[in-house]
Amino acid sequence: MKKFTQESDNLKIAKYKIAILEKHLYLCGFIIIKRNTNSVLRTCCVVSYNPSVFEIDLKSDIKKIENTIYRYKFDEGNNVVLANKLLLKLYSCEEKIVEAIDKEKFEFVIEQIISVFDIKEKNKIKTEYLIDTFSTDVSRKDEINYNRVDNNIVDTYEQKKFFLKTKPVVDYKKGESVEKIKSKEILCEFVDNREISKNIMRVLFPKDEKYLYAKVVDVKQRNKRYYEITCFITPMIYTSFIVDKTQRLVVKK
């Protein structure tokens, strides 16, 4: 069966790497945008003290780059805290990030990334980036459904939310009621025995943390007594649990 390369005008990918010499930090990552929804489809990055990160070839296949990034995430030089700050920064100005990549004005994206690191000597920064339309191999047929091609790419690369298993920390004296916790950060205990979840926790936190704060993004009343709480830990890592309306949860001050 013959195949040809189908380019998607709707999807663009920006690959980048940055060396912040002042702080001996090296970054590599990518951002896939979906133009018709003005959204970030997928993003991934590593922030490390290992200069080898800056040697990653941006012309490589995206899967190869992502695998290399995750290898460095388990390296001793990995800085999880800064990587999480970077991802949160990118998502905080998502529409502008999408517009900048769409118009291939990546300098704006670089500025947002650098702002996370409190840089004093901006002349000691090396940057490389590559912006391209997304392409995929498609089986040749008499009629090609281009919308389906786009959807297939989206299904493959869309960043899925992953839910860690946690339970909220309850304090009946100092905690807050369910009705008051929307948009606040609540203290949760990690209770997930899955190996993948343990690996994620090791990536997210420098030490073996059992407790973490998660921001409440949704509160749904299931019945007269119970509520379902959904929180995010990072833009793509979530947690969800059921609480009794009488419980008072510990909120970050």
Side-chain angles (χ1 to χ4, degrees), residues 55-176:
E55 301 303 317
I56 296 175
D57 186 1
L58 298 184
K59 294 180 181 178
S60 297
D61 174 80
I62 188 63
K63 282 295 182 183
K64 183 177 180 180
I65 291 177
E66 185 171 26
N67 289 337
T68 305
I69 285 173
Y70 274 100
R71 191 178 77 240
Y72 281 115
K73 280 179 177 287
F74 289 95
D75 187 82
E76 288 185 0
N78 181 39
N79 191 313
V80 178
V81 175
L82 289 178
N84 285 337
K85 284 184 178 180
L86 171 55
L87 290 175
L88 289 170
K89 178 64 177 180
L90 293 177
Y91 274 98
S92 71
C93 51
E94 183 175 5
E95 290 187 5
K96 291 182 179 180
I97 293 292
V98 173
E99 182 181 5
I101 294 174
D102 185 22
K103 295 181 178 179
E104 301 195 4
K105 296 181 178 179
F106 201 69
E107 292 77 10
F108 172 80
V109 182
I110 296 293
E111 288 176 6
Q112 304 312 305
I113 293 172
I114 292 175
S115 69
V116 173
F117 301 97
D118 189 26
I119 306 300
K120 295 179 181 178
E121 300 181 66
K122 293 188 177 181
N123 61 323
K124 292 186 177 181
I125 297 174
K126 294 182 180 179
T127 62
E128 292 183 23
Y129 64 88
L130 182 64
I131 299 177
D132 203 357
T133 53
F134 222 99
S135 61
T136 185
D137 288 336
V138 184
S139 299
R140 189 180 184 94
K141 296 181 180 179
D142 292 333
E143 293 184 8
I144 301 296
N145 185 333
Y146 293 103
N147 288 329
R148 188 169 62 192
V149 170
D150 274 356
N151 290 337
N152 287 341
I153 299 174
V154 170
D155 289 342
T156 301
Y157 289 99
E158 186 170 18
Q159 201 150 5
K160 308 296 183 183
K161 293 181 177 66
F162 184 87
F163 281 79
L164 293 176
K165 295 178 182 178
T166 70
K167 63 179 182 180
V169 176
V170 177
D171 186 332
Y172 286 100
K173 291 184 178 180
K174 298 181 180 180
E176 294 191 15

Side-chain angles (χ1 to χ4, degrees), residues 177-208:
S177 63
V178 176
E179 292 86 353
K180 296 180 180 180
I181 63 171
K182 187 69 181 288
S183 299
K184 295 183 179 180
E185 292 184 60
I186 60 174
L187 186 62
C188 302
E189 181 182 359
F190 179 68
V191 292
D192 202 327
N193 290 321
R194 294 173 296 172
E195 197 60 37
I196 186 173
S197 300
K198 293 177 182 178
N199 287 336
I200 288 173
M201 284 293 288
R202 281 193 286 268
V203 170
L204 290 177
F205 301 100
K207 297 181 180 179
D208 293 330

